[in-house]
């Protein structure tokens, strides 16, 4: 890490907005803490799985767009706005839960929050799976209300999981475990789309009419049930981690006894101070994720340029839409790995990251060139849509998000590190929330 810092410092031009010398990173002459725990692939695997479970629900709702289109086919207004509604309710619930949980830190039981979040997710997707077999004749409005309640419940579970996991992992003293969580989040975007494709291809082919997806209730049932199994598997793995004595020891030492009158009290860090120090990185993070929220609306509407009546099943709407989500999330996963390479890190160039975030607006007109709603494409190429638009848009999101979240530590004092992380997380979720509401305007164009 020190060698990387020296390399970046040598490459960075002089600027008023620059990393603090000896800030939150160790200098060459500073000792490394002697009580750092030995790395364990077992613990890493559990945190990787927790990262997957953390965002699995979010991506499941996005990749299930073909099934939801089928349920809302009788209501044109809901058919065109359900994706934006899912984004808005989810991000609003996630942001609200994070703000509340952040204020309830005095007696927080982080393992309990993690367990509750996994149980809640399992319940939500069990109900969604059952809804594909029962009450399938209810009106589109009733199902929409049910879906929004499920989305809100899943977003609260995500907030509990985010708050609990990142607090719990800090007690292990291993940066690798945090990286494992971030990698798991990237995997959570790729696997649900693959699961959706497999669940559709695994059932007998049904007749298509036009460009409307014809996903069967059986494939949707298997798809939602997979999310329940992921939550259950993660819960078992987490209980195994809790039962490990060293893990208990590390958690005990990472959480001070608040009943002890001698326990140190953290001084609050004004948000205005963090805003001044992290302006460019925070703004880049906020804008990048706000712009990102446009992609689910387009992806749920864009179909293959091939004739759905004669195209292979992979290029029919029920599978092509989750294929689009797969390519975007694959790009996001690849983008997250970029800042790990010293030559690709731009944390010392925060203004450049801000400019790159704004430049992502150029992807919106590129989407307009694709086959939106089966009305025809200006560029009749699935390769252009999947590899140029989706893959690179996702890659830019992963790269900018990881760069901003990794780089903020260079610009704050050691005692401001925890508050800075919370501030950046709020900027991220805030960008998602604003972008989700703006996506309604995009939905009207599709």
């Amino acid at each position: 890490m020190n060698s990387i810092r020296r390399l970046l410092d040598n490459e960075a031009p002089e600027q008023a907005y620059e990393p603090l010398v000896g800030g939150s990173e160790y200098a060459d002459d500073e000792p490394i803490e002697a009580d750092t725990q030995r790395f364990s692939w077992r613990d890493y695997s559990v945190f990787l799985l927790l990262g997957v479970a953390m965002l699995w629900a979010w991506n499941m709702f996005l990749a299930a767009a073909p099934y939801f289109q089928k349920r809302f086919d009788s209501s044109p207004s809901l058919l065109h706005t359900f994706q934006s509604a899912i984004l808005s309710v989810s991000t609003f619930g996630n942001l609200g839960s994070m703000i509340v949980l952040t204020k309830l830190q005095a007696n927080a039981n982080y393992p309990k929050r993690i367990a509750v979040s996994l149980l809640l997710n399992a319940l939500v997707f069990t109900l969604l799976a059952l809804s594909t077999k029962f009450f399938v004749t209810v009106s589109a409005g009733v199902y929409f209300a049910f879906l929004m309640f499920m989305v809100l419940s899943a977003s609260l579970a995500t907030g509990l999981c985010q708050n609990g996991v990142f607090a719990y992992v800090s007690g292990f003293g291993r940066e690798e475990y945090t990286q494992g969580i971030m990698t798991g989040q990237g995997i959570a975007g790729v696997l649900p789309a693959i699961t959706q494709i497999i669940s559709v291809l695994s059932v007998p082919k049904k007749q298509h009419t036009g460009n409307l997806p014809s996903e069967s209730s059986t494939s949707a049932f298997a798809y939602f049930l997979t999310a329940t199994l992921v939550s259950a598997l993660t819960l078992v793995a987490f209980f195994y981690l809790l039962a490990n004595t060293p893990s208990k020891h590390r958690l005990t030492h990472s959480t001070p006894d608040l009943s002890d009158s001698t326990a140190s009290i953290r001084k609050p860090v004004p948000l205005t101070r963090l805003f001044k120090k992290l302006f460019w990185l925070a703004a880049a993070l906020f804008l990048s994720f706000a712009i990102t929220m446009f992609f689910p609306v387009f992806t749920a509407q864009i179909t293959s340029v091939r004739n759905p009546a004669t195209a292979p099943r992979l290029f029919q709407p029920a599978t092509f839409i989750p294929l689009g989500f797969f390519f975007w999330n694959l790009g996001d996963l690849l983008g997250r790995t970029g800042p790990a390479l010293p030559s690709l890190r731009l944390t010392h160039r925060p203004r450049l990251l801000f400019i790159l975030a704004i430049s992502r607006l150029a992807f919106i007109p590129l989407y307009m060139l694709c086959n939106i709603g089966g009305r025809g494409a200006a560029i009749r190429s699935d390769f252009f849509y999947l590899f140029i638009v989706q893959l690179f848009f996702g890659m830019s999101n992963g790269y900018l998000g990881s760069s901003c979240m990794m780089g903020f530590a260079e610009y704050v004092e050691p005692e401001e590190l925890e508050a800075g992380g919370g501030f950046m997380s709020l900027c991220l979720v805030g960008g998602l929330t604003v972008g989700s509401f703006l996506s309604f305007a995009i939905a009207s164009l599709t």
Side-chain angles (χ1 to χ4, degrees), residues 57 84 99 165 249 404 436-437:
S84 295
I99 293 175
V165 170
H249 178 78
C404 294
S436 66
F437 284 103

Side-chain angles (χ1 to χ4, degrees), residues 113-158:
R113 291 182 178 183
I114 297 172
V116 170
S117 71
L118 296 173
L119 288 171
L120 183 56
N121 262 338
L123 176 62
V124 165
F125 283 99
T126 298
L127 293 175
L128 282 169
L130 293 176
S131 71
T132 65
K133 296 296 184 180
F134 304 97
F135 309 109
V136 293
T137 59
V138 299
S139 66
V142 173
Y143 185 76
F144 179 79
F146 165 76
L147 179 61
M148 291 303 102
F149 182 72
M150 293 296 99
V151 170
L152 178 61
S153 300
S155 69
L156 297 178
T158 300

